[in-house]
Amino acid sequence: MRRRSRLKIIIDILEVVESEGSARITKILYGANMAYDRLVKYLEELERSGLIEVRKRCGVNFYQLTDKGRKLLHEYRRVERLARAFGIEI
Amino acid sequence: MALDYLGSLMLFPLSYYSYKAYRVTRIQVFSYLFLGFTLLASGTFSHGLALTLLALSRHARPSLEYLALISTTISMIAETLAYLLIALGYANVSRVVTAAVLPLLRRSLPLSITLDFIDTLLLTYIAFSAFTIYSSKRERTSLVIALSFTLLLAAHILQLASMLLLSKLLLTISRLSYFSGLAVLLYLTAEVGRAR
């Protein structure tokens, strides 16, 4: 099986967060199919890059997409369509 | 003339999306496609400009004829380079294609026929690659690309034939085929732009 690229992992995380609207870490864990430690590192990085934001509710962290994150997802979907047309693996 | 201007307008969005794709993914192939489509758009625009200058030179200064000649040459070279870059994008290996093309450039055939012949070879390779990708992935958009490059290939074969047979009819059909190929690429641009 082909390994997922870094970009694809980021997109998978963002897609789970987008589909949930506001997602807990366990939901992202299953949705993006990742190990906990690795996911935490990615979430920290995405938060630093301003692609997601964390809201605390009843002591639990909920992750949400920022406008920048939504824009990246939107651009990625276009790129994916172009890549598929040319047979390019992302 | 109008088809050339319209054609270049059709190609620029595809070039823009290829650039965006390169910025997001940093995959080298997208940079080849970006440069290729940009050159193709510039070449098509330059060809339109050459025809405009030629039309004007009938009533104005003869120096415009010289400018038209330069524009035509630029457009031909830009087009060949564009196909070379797109072919490199498909091959993803530069050495093989460059080695095949360089000896042709050294031949003493007239420039336009030589470049047209190179374009035909490159487009044959591009269209073949596009059809191979379509047959393995069965993606509708891959078929769109294969179809557009096949139309561009047909245009070049017809153009080559028109130059050898001195047929105006073949040249007109060639330009129509070229424009149809660009129109199909525009459809792809619309498909990419529609992604949510």
Side-chain angles (χ1 to χ4, degrees), chain A residues 56-72:
Chain A
K56 232 182 174 101
R57 265 185 269 153
C58 308
V60 181
N61 281 341
F62 282 86
Y63 295 90
Q64 283 180 322
L65 277 190
T66 59
D67 284 343
K68 193 177 169 187
R70 250 183 293 277
K71 204 176 154 201
L72 178 73

Side-chain angles (χ1 to χ4, degrees), chain A residues 25-62:
Chain A
I25 196 161
T26 44
K27 203 79 183 168
I28 306 170
L29 205 69
Y30 290 114
N33 191 23
M34 286 177 77
Y36 181 82
D37 293 351
R38 209 157 162 234
L39 176 63
V40 169
K41 278 181 194 160
Y42 268 99
L43 288 174
E44 282 169 1
E45 197 188 319
L46 293 179
E47 199 189 340
R48 271 199 306 274
S49 324
L51 295 168
I52 56 171
E53 57 188 4
V54 193
R55 296 262 165 92
K56 232 182 174 101
R57 265 185 269 153
C58 308
V60 181
N61 281 341
F62 282 86

Side-chain angles (χ1 to χ4, degrees), chain B residues 38-50 53 66-82 111-112 115 119:
Chain B
T38 307
L39 273 171
L40 199 57
S42 315
T44 310
F45 181 83
S46 193
H47 189 262
L49 190 68
L53 290 171
Y66 182 66
L67 272 176
L69 184 72
I70 292 173
S71 292
T72 309
T73 313
I74 289 172
S75 79
M76 285 190 306
I77 293 169
E79 203 176 334
T80 305
L81 280 175
L111 185 69
S112 58
L115 291 179
D119 289 349

